Amino acid sequence: MPGIYMAMEIARKALIASQTAILVTSHNVANVNTPGYSRQEAIVTEAGAMSTFGGQLGLGAVVTGIRQRVDLLTDRQLVSENGAYASLDYTSRATGQIEAIFNDVTGADLANRVSEFFNSWDDLSANPQGTAERQTVVSTAELLTSEFRRVDSQLTALKDNADKDVASIVEEVNQIVSQIANLNRFIKDALVQGQAPNDLMDQRGVLLKSLGEKIGYTSITDSFGQVNVYVGNGRPLVDGETAGSLAAQVGSGSVYDVKIFLPGQNVLVSVPDTITGDIASGELAAAIRFRDGYINTVRDRVDQLAYAISTKVNDQHILGYDLDGNLGDVFFTDLSAGGGAGAAHDFRVAASITSDLRLIAAARVEGTEIPPALPGDNRNSVLMAGLRNISVAGLGGATIPDFIAGMVGQIGSETKGADLDLRHQKVVVNYLETRREEVSGVSLDEEMTNLIRFQRAFEAATRMISVLDGLLDDVLNLKQ
């Protein structure tokens, strides 16, 4: 039957409800700057009612749970778009490094080295017998070949770094999925006990976001609240409380292939699947595309250019005559054995030329002329200088300077394109983060307003208990 004790119980429930709401608000304020935190709120509902002669009488209020304010669709989109952003960021940085290789601020780049080399033949044509002019030809040729080797060495270093990036990212992925599997276990245990593991789910959400930045994945949440993660065309990487693992193993071409050990597989005896070609997004996909695609294309074009210069110069040089009246030999080392592959790495001035400047074939014999040519003849050096303006079939019909300009220009365009894509993707990510903050973010102004409201409710409940305590004393005094 309703009475003072029932009223006291209602006041007690009000006190507990207000106190819980204050605690939740305090938790929100404390985590205002915590990455991935989702705002929480106490769910306060009526405690039921009891029937009386005058009608049903309410029994106060109770806290039935503490829920997160989340937008699951936005969170999933944010994971996906963050993965795309991470991929573009890696690509932007990598292409920028390649662009820097070809844009030497000191002017010692391929275009300038090629120009200096052919200009030296122009200078030699003015004084075919001059030792200084001949030395300049050899010096500029050595600078040219050295520049090609520098470019090839730096491109090789970038490819090696990309290989190391693949191994490093794989290791990070393994650490993340192991933590996700552990959190799955704790979340399941909490839900089975009827608790809402909000903070654990926030921690897992941060890990899932980090995982999406490393490698693209799909996920399914089961009835126990556990997230199962799939990568590489549907292969499981996290299955409930069990995590699989990735491995970066050396495959064909001495590069790292990405393989997967499924959850529960023994890494010592199991044969993993190769998923290198099935990774579509994230930093890992960008590193693989850069290593196996873009950087190889650039290296092939540099080799193509080195091979074309070597072949054209040699073909013309062997048609001339040196200062001793002998037919010229190759000016650069012969690169024909490799068919152009690795030409930049092997590009060098022939040892015979560097050791004896007299072997530079600046003269030429034409028509009915009888060799040897006169020492002061400059006709072959003029033709050598003119090679820069001749279309080269091996360069797609372009001249050597035009090919270099086109190659460097394309690299610059692709770098700018990657930067532009990155900026556009950043806009998308910022928009989604703003949407998430609107739903899940902590507003200090709103929390302070709630805190004052809950404080007033708490004070009212304590006042109610004080009043009821006084009434109870009055009732007890009546019996005296």
Side-chain angles (χ1 to χ4, degrees):
M1 184 172 178
I4 294 177
Y5 286 110
M6 178 178 289
M8 185 73 76
E9 176 64 14
I10 291 174
R12 184 187 69 84
K13 290 178 181 178
L15 194 68
I16 293 173
S18 299
Q19 184 180 33
T20 302
I22 290 173
L23 290 173
V24 172
T25 301
S26 300
H27 187 54
N28 287 339
V29 172
N31 287 279
V32 64
N33 294 316
T34 301
Y37 179 77
S38 299
R39 180 165 60 92
Q40 300 178 16
E41 61 182 10
I43 305 172
V44 181
T45 59
E46 295 179 40
M50 65 174 294
S51 297
T52 67
F53 291 110
Q56 286 200 334
L57 185 64
L59 299 177
V62 294
V63 174
T64 58
I66 300 173
R67 68 183 171 197
Q68 293 175 302
R69 297 302 300 268
V70 295
D71 181 346
L72 295 178
L73 176 60
T74 298
D75 285 350
R76 284 182 175 272
Q77 288 179 317
L78 193 53
V79 168
S80 176
E81 297 301 337
N82 262 317
Y85 179 82
S87 178
L88 289 170
D89 182 55
Y90 185 98
T91 300
S92 176
R93 288 184 283 109
T95 54
Q97 289 175 316
I98 286 187
E99 184 182 32
I101 292 175
F102 290 90
N103 290 331
D104 193 311
V105 294
T106 65
D109 54 24
L110 276 179
N112 285 320
R113 292 307 188 201
V114 167
S115 178
E116 291 168 358
F117 173 65
F118 287 114
N119 286 341
S120 71
W121 285 99
D122 270 333
D123 295 339
L124 181 62
S125 68
N127 184 18
Q129 295 174 280
T131 301
E133 287 79 4
R134 286 171 175 266
Q135 183 60 60
T136 300
V137 169
V138 172
S139 297
T140 55
E142 288 181 327
L143 288 172
L144 173 62
T145 57
S146 176
E147 178 64 13
F148 269 98
R149 294 195 302 274
R150 179 193 71 83
V151 170
D152 179 76
S153 174
Q154 292 190 356
L155 290 175
T156 300
L158 285 182
K159 185 165 185 175
D160 290 343
N161 288 339
D163 229 17
K164 294 174 183 177
D165 287 342
V166 170
S168 175
I169 294 169
V170 163
E171 181 61 30
E172 291 181 64
V173 168
N174 289 338
Q175 293 174 2
I176 292 171
V177 297
S178 176
Q179 294 176 62
I180 291 174
N182 286 334
L183 284 173
N184 275 347
R185 175 165 57 87
F186 295 137
I187 289 171
K188 175 184 176 181
D189 291 345
L191 289 174
V192 168
Q193 296 171 17
Q195 301 296 314
N198 296 327
D199 294 321
L200 293 177
M201 288 191 285
D202 280 341
Q203 294 173 31
R204 187 178 64 185
V206 172
L207 291 173
L208 288 169
K209 178 183 176 183
S210 297
L211 180 63
E213 293 172 354
K214 305 301 178 185
I215 184 172
Y217 70 87
T218 56
S219 64
I220 297 175
T221 304
D222 64 21
S223 57
F224 293 104
Q226 297 180 322
V227 171
N228 299 320
V229 176
Y230 304 89
V231 299
N233 201 21
R235 297 174 178 87
L237 188 55
V238 177
D239 184 12
E241 303 169 26
T242 307
S245 64
L246 300 182
Q249 299 180 348
V250 177
S252 59
S254 298
V255 298
Y256 283 119
D257 278 331
V258 180
K259 299 178 182 292
I260 183 171
F261 291 95
L262 303 180
Q265 280 189 325
N266 188 329
V267 298
L268 298 178
V269 299
S270 301
V271 178
D273 291 338
T274 300
I275 61 170
T276 310
D278 296 327
I279 301 172
S281 63
E283 288 183 7
L284 187 55
I288 292 171
R289 282 196 300 267
F290 177 70
R291 181 197 69 184
D292 297 341
Y294 183 66
I295 200 168
N296 285 343
T297 300
V298 175
R299 291 184 71 185
D300 288 345
R301 299 198 78 188
V302 173
D303 284 342
Q304 181 184 5
L305 177 62
Y307 183 73
I309 294 174
S310 173
T311 302
K312 279 297 179 182
V313 169
N314 284 345
D315 288 349
Q316 185 61 50
H317 194 259
I318 62 176
L319 297 178
Y321 287 82
D322 60 25
L323 282 178
D324 295 323
N326 299 315
L327 272 173
D329 200 353
V330 292
F331 187 88
F332 294 115
T333 52
D334 188 4
L335 300 176
S336 59
H345 177 269
D346 298 329
F347 198 19
R348 284 171 175 79
V349 181
S352 57
I353 297 294
T354 58
S355 61
D356 188 354
L357 299 178
R358 295 180 62 83
L359 297 182
I360 296 175
R364 182 174 175 80
V365 173
E366 297 179 348
T368 58
E369 295 178 357
I370 300 175
L374 295 174
D377 192 305
N378 70 346
R379 286 176 290 177
N380 202 48
S381 61
V382 171
L383 293 174
M384 293 286 283
L387 290 177
R388 75 178 94 187
N389 299 318
I390 296 176
S391 297
V392 181
L395 300 180
T399 64
I400 292 172
D402 286 347
F403 183 85
I404 295 174
M407 178 178 65
V408 174
Q410 184 177 1
I411 291 171
S413 296
E414 290 177 351
T415 302
K416 290 179 181 177
D419 292 342
L420 183 61
D421 290 343
L422 181 65
R423 289 197 294 271
H424 288 168
Q425 186 63 25
K426 184 61 175 176
V427 172
V428 175
V429 171
N430 286 342
Y431 168 72
L432 290 173
E433 288 179 341
T434 300
R435 275 180 52 184
R436 185 191 183 282
E437 282 298 307
E438 290 173 352
V439 176
S440 303
V442 175
S443 167
L444 290 179
D445 291 339
E446 183 178 351
E447 297 303 323
M448 290 302 99
T449 300
N450 289 337
L451 186 60
I452 293 172
R453 183 161 56 91
F454 299 143
Q455 178 189 4
R456 295 290 181 265
F458 185 88
E459 291 171 349
T462 58
R463 177 61 180 162
M464 187 186 310
I465 291 174
S466 177
V467 170
L468 292 172
D469 184 58
L471 292 176
L472 189 59
D473 285 342
D474 290 342
V475 171
L476 291 176
N477 289 334
L478 288 175
K479 294 184 179 180
Q480 295 176 358

